[in-house]
Amino acid sequence: MSYDVAIIGGGPAGLSAALALGRMRRRVFLCDSGRRRNARAVEIHNFVTRDGTPPEEFRRIARAELEAYPNVTVRDVQIDRIAGSQGSFALTSGEETLRARRILLCAGMVDEMLPIEGFKELWGHAIFQCPYCHGWEVKERTWGYLLRAENLGHFLPFVLQLRGLARDVCVFQEAEFELPAEAVATLRGAGVRIFESPVLRLVGKDEQLEAVLLADGTRVPCEIFYAHPPQKQVSLVASLGLELDESGFVRVDPMTRETSRPGIYAAGDLTTRMQGAIIAAASAMQASAVLNVDVTAELLREGALPTDTGDR
Ligand SMILES: Cc1cc2nc3c(=O)[nH]c(=O)nc-3n(C[C@H](O)[C@H](O)[C@H](O)COP(=O)(O)OP(=O)(O)OC[C@H]3O[C@@H](n4cnc5c(N)ncnc54)[C@H](O)[C@@H]3O)c2cc1C
């Protein structure tokens, strides 16, 4: 089977792209392997009209909307390999191969769990990445932030904003390292407590955090924890040899969202540290508009543009 655009990943980005391209009458293949990034989240917040919607319900509504477009094929499969080049990519899923003129990568990122006891179990329940996603629901409690060496360059504004919602904010360290004196003064001035001894264990029960245990034996009562664990690209994206930025995100042209490989575009979490469902959906809409223009021009050149609605 041959498609105009194959979209890899059926999260907010991929679903948004499938809708945009479907409505422009492109022949679209949308696939999803099911391992969504917010799998632990109970509700999606901060997506206008969908605030508080469970992630599975979000995907169900989006897929139901796509049913209006017979030119969009949705499949729950994983793509294992992409070969070929612009105009004729070959995608392999198990024994099956399909062809597409262009590829849009919306495969998200993989969060790597930190080797701190309790971290994996509490991730998504009491440990969050972003107060815009999960903050209001747990406001006016004691919150912690885990400072990691790689976050030193941009942690200060992140922590200061937590003060707007929490009763008490504590900064904990993954390892022992020296904090910039200016940052320490700013945080202390804002009433933030700083603990230098590294975090040993997150103590919790029934998916709730109770305290943070430090290497020096201190036990700090704490209910909510924010952390940015390392992320990596999914293996399919890693296998494509695309240019990445210094943080490991796929580098795209800011206007067209084309990657370093002609014909392969990318949108959503895999391209940015600024991660959120509505941001992912918007970036995919942007990519779709460029893809549509590009593919339509190609179909016109080939005299292959559909002339009536019955053919797709
Ligand atoms: C715990 C948690 C809670 C969050 N809560 C919120 C929130 O409340 N509000 C908010 O705005 N954001 C929230 N986020 C962030 C939000 O989930 C992401 O920004 C958003 O899901 C990114 O969308 P995406 O489409 O780029 O990627 P994803 O949603 O991760 O979707 C990518 C999809 O690609 C699929 N895929 C990967 N590889 C392949 C392959 N080879 N073949 C086929 N399919 C593949 C995966 O199975 C996955 O379903 C949360 C994140 C986490 C970790």
Side-chain angles (χ1 to χ4, degrees), residues 116-119 122 199-205 208-214 219-220 222-223:
I116 295 174
E117 200 183 325
F119 189 92
L122 292 164
V199 173
L200 191 65
R201 188 152 76 91
L202 298 168
V203 186
K205 207 171 68 188
Q208 301 299 310
L209 176 65
E210 291 173 352
V212 179
L213 190 66
L214 307 183
R219 190 181 195 274
V220 186
C222 182
E223 292 165 279

Side-chain angles (χ1 to χ4, degrees), residues 50-298:
R50 290 281 171 263
D51 192 33
T53 305
E56 285 311 327
E57 176 66 359
F58 181 94
R59 289 189 178 212
R60 189 197 63 74
I61 295 167
R63 285 187 177 208
E65 286 176 357
L66 291 176
E67 281 170 16
Y69 306 95
N71 46 318
V72 176
T73 300
V74 181
R75 295 269 306 277
D76 287 312
V77 293
Q78 174 171 312
I79 298 300
D80 305 317
R81 191 164 167 266
I82 296 176
S85 57
Q86 171 154 294
S88 179
F89 288 104
L91 293 83
T92 312
S93 173
E95 301 293 298
E96 196 184 348
T97 298
L98 57 97
R99 298 212 158 260
R101 291 171 183 272
R102 302 286 185 279
I103 305 287
L104 176 55
L105 300 171
C106 297
M109 291 294 275
V110 179
D111 293 300
E112 297 192 282
M113 294 297 99
L114 295 173
I116 295 174
E117 200 183 325
F119 189 92
K120 191 174 169 195
E121 294 74 16
L122 292 164
W123 174 250
H125 299 300
I127 306 176
F128 304 99
Q129 51 140 25
C130 146
Y132 297 87
C133 303
H134 206 84
W136 175 265
E137 295 65 36
V138 289
K139 63 184 181 303
E140 287 158 25
R141 298 188 199 174
T142 300
W143 290 7
Y145 171 75
L146 182 68
L147 180 56
R148 306 179 53 245
E150 66 184 57
N151 305 135
L152 265 173
H154 45 259
F155 83 102
L156 188 58
F158 185 89
V159 174
L160 289 176
Q161 72 181 335
L162 303 183
R163 284 290 288 122
L165 280 166
R167 181 181 58 223
D168 187 17
V169 175
C170 306
V171 169
F172 299 101
Q173 299 187 193
E174 186 185 30
E176 218 160 316
F177 43 75
E178 206 168 314
L179 293 186
E182 213 177 306
V184 172
T186 306
L187 288 170
R188 293 218 164 108
V192 174
R193 292 189 286 154
I194 303 168
F195 294 88
E196 285 170 18
S197 176
V199 173
L200 191 65
R201 188 152 76 91
L202 298 168
V203 186
K205 207 171 68 188
D206 300 332
E207 298 172 348
Q208 301 299 310
L209 176 65
E210 291 173 352
V212 179
L213 190 66
L214 307 183
D216 67 3
T218 309
R219 190 181 195 274
V220 186
C222 182
E223 292 165 279
I224 298 297
F225 207 67
Y226 289 88
H228 297 120
Q231 294 187 324
K232 62 175 185 186
Q233 296 288 345
V234 303
S235 52
L236 176 73
V237 174
S239 75
L240 293 172
L242 303 172
E243 204 180 298
L244 305 180
D245 69 15
E246 54 289 343
S247 304
F249 296 110
V250 172
R251 213 184 273 285
V252 291
D253 178 286
M255 187 61 199
T256 66
R257 305 204 64 85
E258 193 169 20
T259 69
S260 56
R261 256 181 87 173
I264 301 186
Y265 295 69
D269 277 10
L270 81 164
T271 63
T272 178
R273 184 191 302 283
M274 195 73 191
Q275 297 174 342
I278 203 161
I279 301 170
S283 68
M285 165 63 209
Q286 183 191 351
S288 302
V290 176
L291 274 162
N292 179 53
V293 169
D294 198 23
V295 172
T296 304
E298 190 168 290

